[in-house]
Amino acid sequence: MSSSKLFTTALALQNYFPSFSLFSSPDPTNGFVQYQNLSSAASHSLLGYLSPHNSIYLGVDHTTKDVSGRASLRLESNKSWNRGLLVVDIRHMPASQCGTGAGEFTGTMVTGNWDVDAPGQGKNAGCSIRAPESGDGMGGAQVPSYVTEFNDAKGGVYAMEWAESSISVWFFPHDSPGYTEYFSQSNATAVTSPDPSTWGPPMARFSGSGCDFSERFVDMKIVFNTALCGE
């Protein structure tokens, strides 16, 4: 039985920056960063388009020495979701440098703040999810899926399916058979109507009766964030 999805929101290229807002307040985790607004980020060349790959880039100031922290970016999607399939194609991410923390698929829980010390986290008491069920989830290619090793492999596609009672994550390196079959532009149907049921076991699957997903995960947003150190 097919469980194919139909993409309803495209956040690529010219649609990307208008779909996100830049967070420019002090870092809530007290990291060594100064988050920039759009005009400042543009003047520092921290974001823009990469025409050779038809993609966008987000960066960090890696040359200026500032005792208050480096200029960095934190983007939050203007739209929020309740369930769905999120797919992101990444060619490069921050490397394995001391103190670097990069975030992609993140969002809010019922408290509006995912910090474990945030006020109101008591609302999440009693929500228990067992350790994730691990699978291949990499399209048949056993390559690292994070930081320096990820970049050496020329990146890949992350996909997250948020269902009624589970959250599953897959990773397909760009040079894997899975990427060619499911995300290559030569396979128009697979790209526009992806079917996670054909992808094989996910890299991780979070599920269990100890947590009501529809109650605990509400109005999630996509956050792209590069933090340095912090809590």
Side-chain angles (χ1 to χ4, degrees):
M1 179 179 177
S2 173
S3 60
S4 61
K5 315 292 183 182
L6 179 64
F7 281 131
T8 59
T9 305
L11 303 179
L13 292 178
Q14 277 69 27
N15 291 333
Y16 185 85
F17 293 116
S19 300
F20 286 81
S21 296
L22 273 72
F23 176 90
S24 57
S25 298
D27 181 14
T29 66
N30 298 315
F32 190 69
V33 291
Q34 298 183 67
Y35 291 125
Q36 306 295 299
N37 58 30
L38 181 59
S39 60
S40 181
S43 67
H44 284 81
S45 299
L46 299 184
L47 49 72
Y49 298 99
L50 294 174
S51 56
H53 304 298
N54 290 323
S55 59
I56 61 97
Y57 73 88
L58 306 172
V60 175
D61 185 343
H62 60 281
T63 59
T64 305
K65 295 182 179 180
D66 192 322
V67 296
S68 299
R70 293 191 179 276
S72 186
L73 301 178
R74 176 185 173 120
L75 289 82
E76 302 181 0
S77 63
N78 298 324
K79 182 178 179 179
S80 60
W81 288 267
N82 288 283
R83 302 182 201 171
L85 178 67
L86 281 73
V87 177
V88 58
D89 191 331
I90 303 174
R91 182 172 294 273
H92 184 277
M93 66 171 65
S96 308
Q97 303 296 329
C98 179
T100 302
E104 282 82 39
F105 292 130
T106 58
T108 58
M109 292 184 71
V110 294
T111 61
N113 190 327
W114 54 88
D115 189 321
V116 295
D117 294 324
Q121 278 294 339
K123 297 178 183 178
N124 292 319
C127 181
S128 175
I129 303 174
R130 65 174 179 265
E133 303 164 3
S134 298
D136 183 297
M138 295 186 182
Q142 295 293 334
V143 300
S145 56
Y146 196 58
V147 294
T148 300
E149 292 79 6
F150 174 93
N151 297 333
D152 291 342
K154 302 187 185 306
V157 166
Y158 272 102
M160 182 190 76
E161 183 182 32
W162 174 13
E164 181 178 4
S165 58
S166 66
I167 295 176
S168 302
V169 179
W170 289 263
F171 173 66
F172 299 92
H174 281 147
D175 60 357
S176 70
Y179 175 83
T180 302
E181 181 176 357
Y182 306 127
F183 300 101
S184 172
Q185 293 299 321
S186 61
N187 190 342
T189 300
V191 172
T192 57
S193 300
D195 185 356
S197 68
T198 66
W199 294 350
M203 184 165 59
R205 183 173 187 269
F206 302 88
S207 63
S209 59
C211 187
D212 186 336
F213 278 61
S214 61
E215 177 184 352
R216 301 293 182 169
F217 297 90
V218 181
D219 295 331
M220 300 288 282
K221 291 189 174 186
I222 302 172
V223 177
F224 285 91
N225 173 45
T226 301
L228 302 172
C229 301
E231 300 172 354

